[in-house]
Amino acid sequence: MNETLERWQSRRAFILAVTGAAVGLGNIWRFPYMTGENGGSAFLLLYIVFVLLLGLPMMMAEIMIGRAGRRSPMQALAYLAAEASVSPRWRWVGLFGAVTVFFILSFYSVVSGWSIEYLVDAVNGSFVDRSPQQIGASFDAFLADPLRMTFNHTLFMLLTMSVVAAGVANGLEKLNNVMMPLLYLILLVLGGYAVTTAGFGEAMRWLFTPNLAAIDWSVVLNAMGHAFFTLAVGACALMAYGAYMPDDQSLPRAVFAVALLDIAVALLSGIAIFSVVFTHGMDPTEGPGLMFVTLPIAFSELPGGQVWLGAFFLLLLVATWTSSINLAEPMVAMLVAAGWRRGRAAALVGALVWGVGLLSVLSFSTLAEVHWIGEMNFFALVSTIPPDIFLPVGGLLIAIFAAWRMPVEAAASAFGGSPAGFRLWQILVRFVSIPLTAVVLLSGLL
Ligand code: TRP
């Protein structure tokens, strides 16, 4: 299989595509509820440390492999393994990544469907003059309605796969370019609103007062998994994007900005959401519904709130769309590399992911009490194990390959920064990121 000739149209396009992959439900929906369930400031602190020490260096590792291999993930790994005369079995890391993104996309699409529902509701003015209790009750009623959920899930999968079928480097960046700054703007407005609420002080204390007593291994493990999830690292999805990266671009500079932005978006949405939680005496451990209940309440108190709310869900939808396209890309790229036509590959992947997603849809009604492992129903299972365990395992393997196995010259040139920067990266990955990930995984699992 030959090198791919596809490239992002510009340097900016690559950064936008990676930002699009990184910023999504992870920041705005998953981060707040995970923080709520894992002790607040303890989780937040660990998450930031892990993003900087593990996520960021491993993100570089992953993109470097794609960029040096210039092929779909499995083939890039096979090609570089052959160059370095190491085991061809490294290519299975690509397959493991495909399995991981498969399950992640299956629930990601369902939750993104919730944004579609809320966008329509906001436009229809369904939240006007509603009490917090009524807003909570209407979310519960929606979850209990598998048909409505399936409709939105289907629509979202169609949106995602139609772009993937056309090829990623094909203009989606332009949409991103306009929409993402608007999303940040609305989040800033929300942050400004949060400052005026009665619960703001408590939210800030809860998020930022160090609370080391709340840390146990499961909190550490969850925070690590979330750092991978939010940066889109560990499943070879960014590796697929790296294959299209222009030759003359510095990787560290590109991804550092992405990571900082990713943290900033998560913090802003956390501050906004927890201010509402504490203002209204709600429960921070409420779980996956947290954002969908708190934000309509927040917006309903802002002047012109319905317009803001509609705009917010529209932009959130775009953010999740660019993330889900990234989730789908490695699977489709692999089929294309195996000789499939892109359109057919996208249709097959889309159909399979959609089907498995139905189990997540039903996890809020018919299958709610069907437990797979411990107390976890299907949705709980796929929204926990692939992000919190599969991604770190995948990231660990990717990092070992990039730092210890692939030819060093190829790695250095794919890194694209200064030689000293490369050396720093190498030391960080070899002696910090890899051992730390391994220790957390083992301790968290045993
Ligand atoms: N980072 C995205 C978010 O925070 C989710 C995501 C996109 C992802 N691509 C990925 C997660 C690849 C893991 C692997 O919403």
Side-chain angles (χ1 to χ4, degrees), residues 12-161:
R12 206 168 145 62
F14 173 76
I15 298 182
L16 284 172
V18 176
T19 313
V23 176
L25 288 176
N27 309 69
I28 295 168
W29 164 75
R30 195 173 193 268
F31 170 76
Y33 90 77
M34 292 292 284
T35 307
E37 287 182 341
N38 287 278
S41 61
F43 181 86
L44 174 66
L45 179 72
L46 287 166
Y47 150 80
I48 293 180
V49 169
F50 287 144
V51 163
L52 298 175
L53 289 186
L54 310 181
L56 200 54
M58 289 190 175
M59 189 179 198
M60 297 183 199
E62 188 173 326
I63 296 173
M64 282 157 64
I65 296 174
R67 192 184 198 185
R70 292 263 182 241
R71 288 159 176 81
S72 78
M74 266 182 102
Q75 280 150 330
L77 286 158
Y79 166 77
L80 294 171
E83 293 278 287
S85 316
V86 297
S87 167
R89 281 195 295 267
W90 278 103
R91 71 182 186 286
W92 298 118
V93 175
L95 190 66
F96 180 62
V99 171
T100 308
V101 285
F102 181 89
F103 286 110
I104 292 181
L105 184 56
S106 78
F107 80 83
Y108 204 91
S109 167
V110 171
V111 178
S112 301
W114 301 354
S115 307
I116 301 183
E117 178 79 13
Y118 270 58
L119 170 59
V120 175
D121 284 352
V123 171
N124 287 336
S126 309
F127 300 107
V128 179
D129 295 332
R130 290 295 175 84
S131 69
Q133 286 71 21
Q134 286 169 319
I135 288 174
S138 74
F139 182 64
D140 293 338
F142 167 59
L143 290 184
D145 186 343
L147 275 183
R148 258 158 85 202
M149 283 233 282
T150 302
F151 176 78
N152 293 314
H153 164 52
T154 309
L155 200 61
F156 188 78
M157 276 313 292
L158 287 173
L159 276 177
T160 300
M161 298 325 287

Side-chain angles (χ1 to χ4, degrees), residues 377-388:
N377 65 26
F378 190 78
F379 177 82
L381 182 78
V382 287
S383 62
T384 310
I385 306 292
D388 290 343

Side-chain angles (χ1 to χ4, degrees), residues 53-54 57-58 60 64 399 402-404 408 415 419-436:
L53 289 186
L54 310 181
M58 289 190 175
M60 297 183 199
M64 282 157 64
W404 293 105
V408 176
F415 186 78
F422 177 71
R423 192 75 196 122
L424 191 68
W425 169 84
Q426 209 180 27
I427 292 170
L428 190 62
V429 174
R430 286 185 171 176
F431 304 112
V432 179
S433 313
I434 292 174
L436 190 58

Side-chain angles (χ1 to χ4, degrees), residues 135-226:
I135 288 174
S138 74
F139 182 64
D140 293 338
F142 167 59
L143 290 184
D145 186 343
L147 275 183
R148 258 158 85 202
M149 283 233 282
T150 302
F151 176 78
N152 293 314
H153 164 52
T154 309
L155 200 61
F156 188 78
M157 276 313 292
L158 287 173
L159 276 177
T160 300
M161 298 325 287
S162 58
V163 175
V164 176
V168 225
N170 241 331
L172 189 90
E173 317 94 76
K174 303 205 181 76
L175 185 68
N176 244 353
N177 206 353
V178 189
M179 303 289 250
M180 288 305 102
L182 287 175
L183 179 66
Y184 308 144
L185 189 76
I186 295 205
L187 283 172
L188 278 176
V189 171
L190 263 186
Y193 153 83
V195 176
T196 69
T197 61
F200 177 69
E202 196 175 345
M204 294 303 277
R205 265 194 304 283
W206 191 74
L207 280 171
F208 297 109
T209 310
N211 175 13
L212 301 181
I215 298 183
D216 62 23
W217 278 112
S218 87
V219 172
V220 180
L221 193 66
N222 291 339
M224 182 172 85
H226 188 70

